[in-house]
Amino acid sequence: MAAVRNVLISGASIAGPALAHWFGRNGIRAVVIEKAPSRRTGGYAIDIRGKAIDVAMRMGVLDGVRAAETGIGGAAMVDADGRVRARLASGLVAPEERSLEILRGDLVALLHEAAPEAEYRYGTSISALEDRGDRVEAVFASGGTESFDLVVGADGLHSNTRGLAFGPERPYRRFLESYVSIATVPNHLGLDGEARLFNTPSRVAALYNTPRAAGAKALLLHRTAVESDVDRAAPAAQREHLREVFAGMGWETDRILADLDRAPDFYFDSVTQISMGAWSKGRTVLLGDAGYCPSPMSGQGTSLALVGAYVLAAELAARDAPEPALAAYERRMRPFVAANQGIAAPGLDFIAPKSAMGIGARNALLRSGPVLRLLSRFDSRLGKAAEAIDLDRGRA
Ligand SMILES: Cc1cc2nc3c(=O)[nH]c(=O)nc-3n(C[C@H](O)[C@H](O)[C@H](O)COP(=O)(O)OP(=O)(O)OC[C@H]3O[C@@H](n4cnc5c(N)ncnc54)[C@H](O)[C@@H]3O)c2cc1C
Protein backbone atom coordinates (compact mmCIF):
# COMPACT_ATOMS: atom_id res chain seq x y z
CA MET A 1 0.00 0.00 0.00
CA ALA A 2 1.51 3.33 -1.04
CA ALA A 3 2.09 5.91 1.67
CA VAL A 4 -0.27 8.45 0.11
CA ARG A 5 -3.34 8.37 -2.20
CA ASN A 6 -4.14 12.03 -2.74
CA VAL A 7 -1.45 14.68 -3.23
CA LEU A 8 -1.37 18.42 -3.89
CA ILE A 9 1.58 19.62 -5.97
CA SER A 10 2.29 23.35 -6.16
CA GLY A 11 4.09 24.26 -9.42
CA ALA A 12 3.49 22.96 -12.96
CA SER A 13 6.92 23.49 -14.53
CA ILE A 14 9.42 20.61 -14.42
CA ALA A 15 9.46 19.02 -10.96
CA GLY A 16 5.65 19.14 -10.51
CA PRO A 17 4.54 17.39 -13.73
CA ALA A 18 7.45 14.91 -13.49
CA LEU A 19 6.19 13.84 -10.06
CA ALA A 20 2.59 13.78 -11.32
CA HIS A 21 3.70 11.37 -14.06
CA TRP A 22 4.92 8.83 -11.49
CA PHE A 23 1.84 9.33 -9.32
CA GLY A 24 -0.32 8.60 -12.38
CA ARG A 25 1.55 5.36 -12.93
CA ASN A 26 1.21 4.45 -9.26
CA GLY A 27 -2.51 5.19 -9.06
CA ILE A 28 -2.07 8.21 -6.79
CA ARG A 29 -4.32 11.22 -7.38
CA ALA A 30 -2.34 14.40 -8.13
CA VAL A 31 -3.78 17.90 -8.15
CA VAL A 32 -1.20 20.26 -9.70
CA ILE A 33 -1.76 23.96 -9.14
CA GLU A 34 0.09 26.72 -10.98
CA LYS A 35 0.22 30.43 -10.29
CA ALA A 36 0.50 31.31 -14.00
CA PRO A 37 -2.79 31.57 -15.91
CA SER A 38 -1.84 28.78 -18.33
CA ARG A 39 0.97 26.38 -19.12
CA ARG A 40 4.16 28.36 -19.56
CA THR A 41 5.75 28.06 -23.00
CA GLY A 42 9.03 29.36 -24.43
CA GLY A 43 11.99 30.00 -22.18
CA TYR A 44 15.69 29.37 -22.33
CA ALA A 45 17.80 26.31 -23.10
CA ILE A 46 18.23 23.85 -20.24
CA ASP A 47 20.23 20.66 -19.90
CA ILE A 48 19.24 17.12 -19.01
CA ARG A 49 22.32 15.23 -17.96
CA GLY A 50 23.58 11.98 -16.53
CA LYS A 51 21.06 10.09 -14.41
CA ALA A 52 18.30 12.50 -15.45
CA ILE A 53 18.58 11.02 -18.95
CA ASP A 54 17.90 7.58 -17.47
CA VAL A 55 14.89 9.02 -15.64
CA ALA A 56 13.61 10.61 -18.88
CA MET A 57 13.94 7.21 -20.54
CA ARG A 58 12.03 5.46 -17.74
CA MET A 59 9.32 8.13 -18.05
CA GLY A 60 9.05 7.43 -21.77
CA VAL A 61 9.90 11.03 -22.75
CA LEU A 62 13.48 10.54 -23.93
CA ASP A 63 12.62 10.24 -27.62
CA GLY A 64 10.58 13.42 -27.37
CA VAL A 65 13.48 15.20 -25.68
CA ARG A 66 15.89 14.06 -28.38
CA ALA A 67 13.50 15.20 -31.10
CA ALA A 68 13.29 18.64 -29.49
CA GLU A 69 17.01 19.21 -28.88
CA THR A 70 18.06 22.82 -29.38
CA GLY A 71 20.72 21.99 -31.94
CA ILE A 72 23.02 24.73 -30.62
CA GLY A 73 26.35 23.67 -32.04
CA GLY A 74 28.80 25.52 -29.78
CA ALA A 75 29.76 28.99 -28.62
CA ALA A 76 32.18 31.64 -29.79
CA MET A 77 33.84 34.10 -27.39
CA VAL A 78 33.92 37.47 -29.15
CA ASP A 79 35.55 40.85 -28.52
CA ALA A 80 33.85 44.25 -28.47
CA ASP A 81 33.92 44.33 -32.28
CA GLY A 82 32.38 40.88 -32.59
CA ARG A 83 35.62 39.22 -33.72
CA VAL A 84 35.87 35.61 -32.56
CA ARG A 85 38.63 35.20 -29.95
CA ALA A 86 38.00 31.57 -29.00
CA ARG A 87 35.53 28.78 -29.51
CA LEU A 88 33.86 26.33 -27.19
CA ALA A 89 32.73 23.31 -29.14
CA SER A 90 29.62 21.50 -27.93
CA GLY A 91 30.46 18.23 -26.24
CA LEU A 92 33.63 19.62 -24.61
CA VAL A 93 32.05 20.51 -21.30
CA ALA A 94 30.08 17.30 -20.90
CA PRO A 95 30.04 14.05 -22.84
CA GLU A 96 27.47 14.43 -25.59
CA GLU A 97 25.80 11.07 -25.08
CA ARG A 98 25.02 11.94 -21.43
CA SER A 99 23.92 15.54 -22.02
CA LEU A 100 20.89 16.86 -23.90
CA GLU A 101 19.79 20.46 -24.34
CA ILE A 102 16.15 21.43 -24.83
CA LEU A 103 14.08 24.58 -24.49
CA ARG A 104 12.36 24.74 -21.15
CA GLY A 105 8.92 25.20 -22.73
CA ASP A 106 9.43 22.11 -24.89
CA LEU A 107 10.33 20.03 -21.84
CA VAL A 108 7.38 21.36 -19.84
CA ALA A 109 5.04 20.38 -22.71
CA LEU A 110 6.51 16.86 -22.87
CA LEU A 111 6.18 16.39 -19.11
CA HIS A 112 2.56 17.57 -19.13
CA GLU A 113 1.77 15.10 -21.91
CA ALA A 114 3.40 12.39 -19.81
CA ALA A 115 1.09 13.09 -16.87
CA PRO A 116 -2.40 13.01 -18.42
CA GLU A 117 -4.12 11.75 -15.26
CA ALA A 118 -3.09 14.79 -13.21
CA GLU A 119 -5.67 17.47 -12.49
CA TYR A 120 -4.16 20.85 -13.45
CA ARG A 121 -5.52 24.06 -12.00
CA TYR A 122 -4.09 27.34 -13.27
CA GLY A 123 -4.11 30.84 -11.87
CA THR A 124 -4.15 29.75 -8.26
CA SER A 125 -1.84 29.34 -5.33
CA ILE A 126 -1.88 27.99 -1.78
CA SER A 127 -2.62 30.74 0.72
CA ALA A 128 -2.45 28.64 3.92
CA LEU A 129 -1.50 25.13 5.03
CA GLU A 130 -2.71 23.39 8.16
CA ASP A 131 -0.93 20.12 8.99
CA ARG A 132 -3.37 17.92 10.95
CA GLY A 133 -0.95 15.04 11.43
CA ASP A 134 -2.81 12.51 9.28
CA ARG A 135 -3.53 15.03 6.45
CA VAL A 136 -2.87 18.61 5.36
CA GLU A 137 -5.58 21.16 4.75
CA ALA A 138 -4.75 23.58 1.96
CA VAL A 139 -6.54 26.88 1.56
CA PHE A 140 -6.47 28.17 -2.03
CA ALA A 141 -6.07 31.81 -3.05
CA SER A 142 -8.86 31.22 -5.58
CA GLY A 143 -11.15 30.06 -2.78
CA GLY A 144 -11.90 26.79 -1.02
CA THR A 145 -10.12 24.43 1.35
CA GLU A 146 -9.22 20.81 0.54
CA SER A 147 -7.54 17.96 2.40
CA PHE A 148 -4.56 16.04 1.03
CA ASP A 149 -2.36 13.21 2.30
CA LEU A 150 0.72 15.18 1.24
CA VAL A 151 1.60 18.62 -0.12
CA VAL A 152 4.60 18.94 -2.46
CA GLY A 153 6.23 22.32 -3.04
CA ALA A 154 7.55 22.23 -6.61
CA ASP A 155 7.16 25.96 -6.99
CA GLY A 156 10.71 27.00 -7.71
CA LEU A 157 13.48 29.10 -6.20
CA HIS A 158 11.09 31.50 -4.45
CA SER A 159 8.78 28.68 -3.37
CA ASN A 160 5.46 29.73 -1.89
CA THR A 161 5.06 26.32 -0.23
CA ARG A 162 8.45 26.65 1.44
CA GLY A 163 7.43 30.07 2.74
CA LEU A 164 4.21 28.68 4.23
CA ALA A 165 5.77 25.58 5.82
CA PHE A 166 9.32 26.68 6.66
CA GLY A 167 9.19 30.48 6.83
CA PRO A 168 10.90 33.25 4.87
CA GLU A 169 13.53 32.54 2.20
CA ARG A 170 16.41 34.52 3.72
CA PRO A 171 18.02 31.83 5.93
CA TYR A 172 17.95 29.32 3.08
CA ARG A 173 19.41 31.59 0.36
CA ARG A 174 23.01 31.24 -0.69
CA PHE A 175 23.64 34.28 -2.91
CA LEU A 176 26.30 33.48 -5.53
CA GLU A 177 27.13 37.17 -5.92
CA SER A 178 25.57 37.61 -9.35
CA TYR A 179 22.38 38.51 -11.16
CA VAL A 180 21.16 37.03 -14.42
CA SER A 181 18.65 38.13 -17.01
CA ILE A 182 17.38 36.31 -20.07
CA ALA A 183 14.89 37.36 -22.73
CA THR A 184 13.88 36.76 -26.32
CA VAL A 185 15.10 39.51 -28.64
CA PRO A 186 15.33 39.93 -32.43
CA ASN A 187 18.10 37.87 -34.06
CA HIS A 188 19.99 40.90 -35.38
CA LEU A 189 23.19 38.90 -35.89
CA GLY A 190 21.43 36.24 -37.94
CA LEU A 191 22.73 33.50 -35.62
CA ASP A 192 21.81 30.04 -36.79
CA GLY A 193 22.02 27.42 -34.03
CA GLU A 194 25.01 29.06 -32.36
CA ALA A 195 25.97 31.22 -29.39
CA ARG A 196 28.17 34.31 -28.97
CA LEU A 197 29.57 35.48 -25.63
CA PHE A 198 31.20 38.81 -24.88
CA ASN A 199 32.92 39.48 -21.55
CA THR A 200 34.26 42.43 -19.66
CA PRO A 201 35.42 41.83 -16.05
CA SER A 202 32.56 40.35 -14.02
CA ARG A 203 30.07 40.85 -16.85
CA VAL A 204 28.94 38.65 -19.70
CA ALA A 205 26.51 39.35 -22.51
CA ALA A 206 25.47 36.46 -24.70
CA LEU A 207 23.17 35.81 -27.62
CA TYR A 208 22.13 32.43 -28.93
CA ASN A 209 19.67 31.09 -31.43
CA THR A 210 18.08 27.69 -31.73
CA PRO A 211 16.14 26.48 -34.75
CA ARG A 212 13.42 25.56 -32.20
CA ALA A 213 12.45 29.19 -31.56
CA ALA A 214 12.14 32.49 -33.38
CA GLY A 215 14.53 35.31 -32.58
CA ALA A 216 17.50 35.03 -30.27
CA LYS A 217 17.87 34.61 -26.52
CA ALA A 218 19.87 37.37 -24.85
CA LEU A 219 21.55 36.66 -21.54
CA LEU A 220 23.11 39.33 -19.33
CA LEU A 221 24.94 38.27 -16.18
CA HIS A 222 26.95 40.39 -13.79
CA ARG A 223 28.82 39.57 -10.63
CA THR A 224 28.58 41.78 -7.57
CA ALA A 225 29.14 41.18 -3.87
CA VAL A 226 26.33 43.64 -3.12
CA GLU A 227 23.06 41.80 -2.55
CA SER A 228 20.19 44.18 -3.18
CA ASP A 229 16.48 43.50 -3.50
CA VAL A 230 16.47 44.27 -7.23
CA ASP A 231 15.48 40.64 -7.91
CA ARG A 232 12.17 41.36 -6.18
CA ALA A 233 11.65 44.74 -7.89
CA ALA A 234 9.25 45.41 -10.76
CA PRO A 235 10.51 44.42 -14.25
CA ALA A 236 10.87 48.10 -15.25
CA ALA A 237 13.21 48.67 -12.28
CA GLN A 238 15.16 45.52 -13.17
CA ARG A 239 15.62 46.72 -16.74
CA GLU A 240 16.78 50.08 -15.42
CA HIS A 241 19.29 48.28 -13.18
CA LEU A 242 20.59 46.36 -16.21
CA ARG A 243 21.01 49.63 -18.13
CA GLU A 244 23.09 51.02 -15.25
CA VAL A 245 25.31 47.94 -15.20
CA PHE A 246 25.64 47.16 -18.91
CA ALA A 247 25.22 50.43 -20.87
CA GLY A 248 28.28 51.16 -22.99
CA MET A 249 29.81 47.74 -22.30
CA GLY A 250 30.36 47.19 -26.02
CA TRP A 251 29.47 44.61 -28.65
CA GLU A 252 25.68 44.11 -28.88
CA THR A 253 24.84 45.14 -25.34
CA ASP A 254 23.23 48.52 -26.05
CA ARG A 255 20.98 46.93 -28.65
CA ILE A 256 20.08 44.11 -26.23
CA LEU A 257 19.21 46.67 -23.54
CA ALA A 258 16.93 48.51 -25.97
CA ASP A 259 15.29 45.25 -27.06
CA LEU A 260 14.55 44.22 -23.46
CA ASP A 261 11.79 46.83 -23.30
CA ARG A 262 9.88 44.87 -25.95
CA ALA A 263 10.82 41.34 -24.88
CA PRO A 264 7.76 39.11 -24.38
CA ASP A 265 9.42 36.98 -21.68
CA PHE A 266 11.87 39.15 -19.73
CA TYR A 267 13.38 37.18 -16.81
CA PHE A 268 15.62 38.58 -14.08
CA ASP A 269 16.79 37.03 -10.83
CA SER A 270 19.70 36.67 -8.47
CA VAL A 271 21.94 33.65 -8.95
CA THR A 272 21.06 31.86 -5.75
CA GLN A 273 21.18 28.40 -4.29
CA ILE A 274 18.75 27.05 -1.72
CA SER A 275 20.33 25.19 1.16
CA MET A 276 18.09 23.69 3.85
CA GLY A 277 18.63 21.41 6.83
CA ALA A 278 15.46 19.45 5.99
CA TRP A 279 13.21 19.28 2.93
CA SER A 280 10.10 18.11 4.67
CA LYS A 281 8.04 19.16 7.65
CA GLY A 282 5.21 16.87 8.66
CA ARG A 283 3.26 16.17 5.48
CA THR A 284 4.79 18.94 3.36
CA VAL A 285 7.85 18.21 1.24
CA LEU A 286 9.94 20.27 -1.18
CA LEU A 287 11.06 19.14 -4.62
CA GLY A 288 13.39 20.67 -7.24
CA ASP A 289 14.47 24.31 -7.02
CA ALA A 290 12.07 24.87 -4.10
CA GLY A 291 14.17 22.66 -1.82
CA TYR A 292 17.63 22.59 -3.37
CA CYS A 293 18.05 25.04 -6.23
CA PRO A 294 21.62 24.62 -7.49
CA SER A 295 21.38 27.87 -9.55
CA PRO A 296 21.51 28.24 -13.33
CA MET A 297 25.31 28.29 -13.10
CA SER A 298 25.38 24.58 -12.25
CA GLY A 299 23.31 23.71 -15.33
CA GLN A 300 21.87 20.93 -13.19
CA GLY A 301 18.60 22.33 -11.83
CA THR A 302 16.46 20.49 -14.35
CA SER A 303 18.26 17.23 -13.75
CA LEU A 304 17.87 17.55 -9.97
CA ALA A 305 14.15 18.19 -10.43
CA LEU A 306 13.67 15.14 -12.67
CA VAL A 307 15.73 12.81 -10.50
CA GLY A 308 14.18 14.21 -7.29
CA ALA A 309 10.67 13.50 -8.62
CA TYR A 310 11.68 9.95 -9.51
CA VAL A 311 13.22 9.23 -6.10
CA LEU A 312 10.37 10.84 -4.14
CA ALA A 313 7.73 8.89 -6.08
CA ALA A 314 9.66 5.62 -5.73
CA GLU A 315 10.05 6.04 -1.96
CA LEU A 316 6.38 6.94 -1.50
CA ALA A 317 5.34 3.92 -3.56
CA ALA A 318 7.63 1.55 -1.67
CA ARG A 319 6.53 2.45 1.89
CA ASP A 320 3.23 2.46 3.69
CA ALA A 321 3.75 5.69 5.63
CA PRO A 322 4.95 9.10 4.43
CA GLU A 323 7.52 9.81 7.19
CA PRO A 324 10.00 7.03 6.30
CA ALA A 325 9.47 7.68 2.60
CA LEU A 326 10.30 11.38 2.99
CA ALA A 327 13.33 10.52 5.11
CA ALA A 328 14.57 8.04 2.49
CA TYR A 329 14.01 10.60 -0.33
CA GLU A 330 16.16 13.06 1.54
CA ARG A 331 18.85 10.52 2.46
CA ARG A 332 19.23 9.39 -1.15
CA MET A 333 19.10 12.86 -2.71
CA ARG A 334 21.39 14.78 -0.30
CA PRO A 335 24.79 13.67 -1.69
CA PHE A 336 23.53 14.11 -5.26
CA VAL A 337 22.33 17.64 -4.51
CA ALA A 338 25.60 18.55 -2.73
CA ALA A 339 27.71 17.35 -5.66
CA ASN A 340 25.63 19.33 -8.15
CA GLN A 341 25.45 22.50 -6.09
CA GLY A 342 29.26 22.33 -5.93
CA ILE A 343 29.55 22.88 -9.68
CA ALA A 344 28.05 26.37 -9.72
CA ALA A 345 31.13 28.35 -8.55
CA PRO A 346 33.51 26.97 -11.22
CA GLY A 347 30.74 27.43 -13.79
CA LEU A 348 30.48 31.11 -12.86
CA ASP A 349 34.26 31.61 -13.05
CA PHE A 350 34.25 30.08 -16.49
CA ILE A 351 31.38 32.10 -17.95
CA ALA A 352 32.18 35.42 -16.23
CA PRO A 353 35.84 35.80 -15.16
CA LYS A 354 36.37 38.68 -12.73
CA SER A 355 39.37 40.32 -14.47
CA ALA A 356 40.59 41.16 -17.97
CA MET A 357 43.47 38.81 -17.29
CA GLY A 358 41.04 36.04 -16.39
CA ILE A 359 39.05 36.58 -19.60
CA GLY A 360 42.26 36.54 -21.68
CA ALA A 361 43.52 33.45 -19.90
CA ARG A 362 40.24 31.58 -20.42
CA ASN A 363 40.21 32.46 -24.11
CA ALA A 364 43.86 31.52 -24.51
CA LEU A 365 43.15 28.21 -22.84
CA LEU A 366 40.20 27.62 -25.13
CA ARG A 367 42.52 28.15 -28.09
CA SER A 368 45.25 25.89 -26.80
CA GLY A 369 45.74 22.17 -26.34
CA PRO A 370 45.95 22.18 -22.52
CA VAL A 371 42.37 23.41 -22.40
CA LEU A 372 41.23 19.96 -23.25
CA ARG A 373 42.87 18.72 -20.07
CA LEU A 374 41.41 21.63 -18.08
CA LEU A 375 37.95 21.13 -19.49
CA SER A 376 38.09 17.44 -18.99
CA ARG A 377 38.82 18.16 -15.32
CA PHE A 378 35.71 20.36 -15.16
CA ASP A 379 33.93 17.87 -17.33
CA SER A 380 34.74 14.99 -15.02
CA ARG A 381 33.50 17.04 -12.05
CA LEU A 382 30.26 17.91 -13.83
CA GLY A 383 30.03 14.46 -15.38
CA LYS A 384 30.59 12.79 -12.00
CA ALA A 385 28.07 15.03 -10.23
CA ALA A 386 25.44 14.31 -12.89
CA GLU A 387 25.87 10.57 -12.32
CA ALA A 388 26.24 10.65 -8.53
CA ILE A 389 23.11 8.74 -7.54
CA ASP A 390 21.97 5.15 -7.82
CA LEU A 391 18.41 5.31 -9.09
CA ASP A 392 17.57 1.84 -7.84
CA ARG A 393 19.24 1.69 -4.45
CA GLY A 394 17.47 1.86 -1.12
CA ARG A 395 13.94 1.29 -2.39
CA ALA A 396 13.15 -1.61 -0.16
C1 LIG B 1 18.36 31.80 -16.89
C2 LIG B 1 18.31 30.38 -16.46
C3 LIG B 1 19.08 29.45 -17.11
C4 LIG B 1 19.04 28.12 -16.69
N1 LIG B 1 19.81 27.21 -17.33
C5 LIG B 1 19.75 25.92 -16.94
C6 LIG B 1 20.51 24.90 -17.60
O1 LIG B 1 21.25 25.17 -18.53
N2 LIG B 1 20.39 23.64 -17.16
C7 LIG B 1 19.57 23.30 -16.13
O2 LIG B 1 19.49 22.12 -15.79
N3 LIG B 1 18.86 24.21 -15.48
C8 LIG B 1 18.94 25.51 -15.86
N4 LIG B 1 18.21 26.44 -15.20
C9 LIG B 1 17.46 26.04 -14.01
C10 LIG B 1 16.16 25.39 -14.31
O3 LIG B 1 15.32 26.21 -15.07
C11 LIG B 1 15.50 25.07 -12.96
O4 LIG B 1 16.43 24.44 -12.11
C12 LIG B 1 14.33 24.15 -13.17
O5 LIG B 1 13.38 24.83 -13.95
C13 LIG B 1 13.73 23.74 -11.83
O6 LIG B 1 12.46 23.22 -12.03
P1 LIG B 1 11.33 23.36 -10.90
O7 LIG B 1 10.14 22.72 -11.50
O8 LIG B 1 11.88 22.91 -9.62
O9 LIG B 1 11.11 24.92 -10.71
P2 LIG B 1 10.61 26.02 -11.75
O10 LIG B 1 10.95 25.63 -13.14
O11 LIG B 1 11.10 27.32 -11.26
O12 LIG B 1 9.03 25.97 -11.66
C14 LIG B 1 8.30 26.45 -10.59
C15 LIG B 1 6.86 26.58 -11.04
O13 LIG B 1 6.07 26.96 -9.91
C16 LIG B 1 5.22 28.02 -10.30
N5 LIG B 1 4.91 28.80 -9.11
C17 LIG B 1 5.66 29.75 -8.52
N6 LIG B 1 5.03 30.24 -7.45
C18 LIG B 1 3.85 29.57 -7.36
C19 LIG B 1 2.76 29.63 -6.46
N7 LIG B 1 2.73 30.52 -5.47
N8 LIG B 1 1.71 28.80 -6.65
C20 LIG B 1 1.71 27.91 -7.70
N9 LIG B 1 2.72 27.83 -8.59
C21 LIG B 1 3.76 28.65 -8.42
C22 LIG B 1 6.00 28.77 -11.33
O14 LIG B 1 5.17 29.60 -12.14
C23 LIG B 1 6.65 27.64 -12.11
O15 LIG B 1 5.80 27.16 -13.12
C24 LIG B 1 18.24 27.75 -15.60
C25 LIG B 1 17.45 28.70 -14.94
C26 LIG B 1 17.48 30.01 -15.37
C27 LIG B 1 16.63 30.99 -14.64
Side-chain angles (χ1 to χ4, degrees):
M1 179 74 172
V4 294
R5 310 298 316 156
N6 179 29
V7 179
L8 173 64
I9 301 172
S10 173
S13 172
I14 292 167
L19 184 66
H21 163 88
W22 295 110
F23 283 169
R25 275 167 70 152
N26 296 339
I28 296 168
R29 174 178 182 247
V31 173
V32 186
I33 62 161
E34 166 60 50
K35 181 178 71 169
S38 59
R39 199 178 77 209
R40 299 174 74 180
T41 57
Y44 40 84
I46 53 174
D47 304 299
I48 301 178
R49 255 191 221 101
K51 287 290 163 62
I53 292 184
D54 301 333
V55 168
M57 190 181 68
R58 292 179 189 195
M59 292 177 76
V61 298
L62 188 55
D63 288 346
V65 171
R66 286 197 198 283
E69 274 201 89
T70 60
I72 299 172
M77 313 302 180
V78 298
D79 64 16
D81 298 317
R83 283 186 303 244
V84 176
R85 311 303 295 183
R87 285 189 191 278
L88 176 65
S90 67
L92 264 187
V93 177
E96 266 178 353
E97 68 282 6
R98 295 296 283 167
S99 181
L100 300 169
E101 190 178 66
I102 178 171
L103 288 179
R104 185 177 139 130
D106 287 341
L107 180 59
V108 171
L110 284 168
L111 295 175
H112 278 241
E113 276 166 31
E117 296 89 355
E119 183 184 328
Y120 289 96
R121 299 181 194 167
Y122 291 94
T124 191
S125 194
I126 306 171
S127 54
L129 287 174
E130 193 67 52
D131 196 321
R132 303 269 181 213
D134 60 344
R135 65 191 192 285
V136 191
E137 277 167 15
V139 182
F140 295 106
S142 48
T145 301
E146 286 174 49
S147 267
F148 297 90
D149 297 335
L150 185 72
V151 173
V152 181
D155 39 13
L157 171 60
H158 304 297
S159 169
N160 175 54
T161 311
R162 187 183 60 227
L164 292 170
F166 294 84
E169 184 171 308
R170 177 67 52 188
Y172 308 121
R173 275 170 75 91
R174 201 188 293 152
F175 176 53
L176 297 189
E177 302 195 343
S178 34
Y179 289 92
V180 65
S181 160
I182 194 150
T184 301
V185 297
N187 188 4
H188 296 295
L189 297 182
L191 298 173
D192 184 13
E194 55 192 319
R196 297 263 191 285
L197 274 86
F198 170 61
N199 287 94
T200 61
S202 294
R203 290 183 292 183
V204 58
L207 283 165
Y208 65 86
N209 159 269
T210 156
R212 301 278 313 168
K217 308 286 174 194
L219 176 138
L220 298 174
L221 180 142
H222 66 284
R223 302 177 75 167
T224 170
V226 181
E227 187 174 11
S228 67
D229 52 13
V230 62
D231 51 345
R232 289 179 292 282
Q238 294 172 340
R239 283 193 288 263
E240 186 51 36
H241 176 76
L242 289 172
R243 274 191 280 276
E244 280 162 22
V245 175
F246 285 92
M249 177 188 172
W251 186 56
E252 289 289 313
T253 46
D254 284 349
R255 192 149 64 171
I256 293 172
L257 290 171
D259 286 337
L260 290 185
D261 289 331
R262 292 176 293 279
D265 53 359
F266 174 73
Y267 168 90
F268 180 99
D269 211 334
S270 58
V271 179
T272 304
Q273 295 187 330
I274 294 295
S275 175
M276 305 182 71
W279 299 330
S280 64
K281 199 176 213 180
R283 286 177 175 257
T284 301
V285 61
L286 302 176
L287 175 68
D289 274 8
Y292 35 82
C293 176
S295 89
M297 287 305 109
S298 74
Q300 281 292 96
T302 305
S303 294
L304 289 186
L306 289 174
V307 172
Y310 177 86
V311 173
L312 178 57
E315 294 300 339
L316 286 166
R319 294 163 202 271
D320 53 15
E323 294 78 10
L326 300 183
Y329 156 65
E330 184 150 342
R331 202 167 51 242
R332 288 178 64 194
M333 284 295 291
R334 281 253 170 222
F336 186 53
V337 166
N340 285 288
Q341 288 196 328
I343 291 163
L348 201 46
D349 287 338
F350 182 80
I351 192 176
K354 282 184 170 168
S355 65
M357 202 191 273
I359 297 165
R362 181 203 60 193
N363 289 350
L365 280 167
L366 280 172
R367 288 192 298 268
S368 75
V371 73
L372 292 175
R373 285 200 295 281
L374 180 95
L375 281 175
S376 65
R377 271 214 303 278
F378 176 70
D379 173 13
S380 67
R381 195 167 164 191
L382 176 64
K384 265 191 208 150
E387 304 286 354
I389 186 164
D390 181 344
L391 292 179
D392 297 315
R393 215 174 55 199
R395 289 183 53 182

